[in-house]
Amino acid sequence: MGDIEVVDRGSQEFVVFLRGDVDESLAEDLDVARGEVAALEDVDVQRVLVDLRDVTAMTEPGVKFLVELERLGRRTGFEVALSMVSKPALRALESAHWPHLPLQSGA
């Protein structure tokens, strides 16, 4: 079972923590989190950092969330960066041909 948390870190940065199995069971929570980030349009957010260190599995809904977050960032003017990418998350991103390298890979 997976978990998602959106945290305001101040200094114009939000962090999205994804944990556990990021799969179909988490689809509704991913939609809610995407809505939380989309609501930030009125706030001067410069970057949304996605922490994937605790992801144990990632399927299409998790990759779709990241793709849509990236599109939202391009449209509204914030950067999306990946941090501490677990091996299962990295494999899913590589399979999806994710174009960005993570800031730092985790174990």
Side-chain angles (χ1 to χ4, degrees):
M1 185 161 167
D3 178 49
I4 185 166
E5 179 182 11
V6 179
V7 178
D8 180 354
R9 283 276 172 94
S11 298
Q12 302 171 328
E13 181 177 270
F14 278 71
V15 180
V16 178
F17 293 94
L18 294 175
R19 299 179 191 98
D21 293 350
V22 183
D23 56 18
E24 192 61 44
S25 68
L26 201 57
E28 284 185 38
D29 293 334
L30 291 168
D31 286 340
V32 169
R34 188 173 27 260
E36 286 180 46
V37 174
L40 303 175
E41 287 186 65
D42 297 333
V43 180
D44 188 24
V45 174
Q46 298 297 311
R47 183 163 90 161
V48 174
L49 185 65
V50 184
D51 187 310
L52 301 168
R53 81 181 81 204
D54 293 326
V55 171
T56 54
M58 182 181 281
T59 61
E60 191 268 336
V63 174
K64 180 181 173 188
F65 169 78
L66 294 174
V67 168
E68 291 175 356
L69 194 62
E70 175 77 16
R71 286 180 184 148
L72 178 65
R74 279 195 310 258
R75 193 173 67 244
T76 60
F78 62 81
E79 170 193 12
V80 175
L82 306 181
S83 175
M84 301 301 292
V85 180
S86 69
K87 287 182 182 178
L90 184 59
R91 281 192 297 273
L93 293 171
E94 287 174 342
S95 293
H97 306 290
W98 182 259
H100 310 292
L101 294 175
L103 291 178
Q104 181 178 2
S105 288

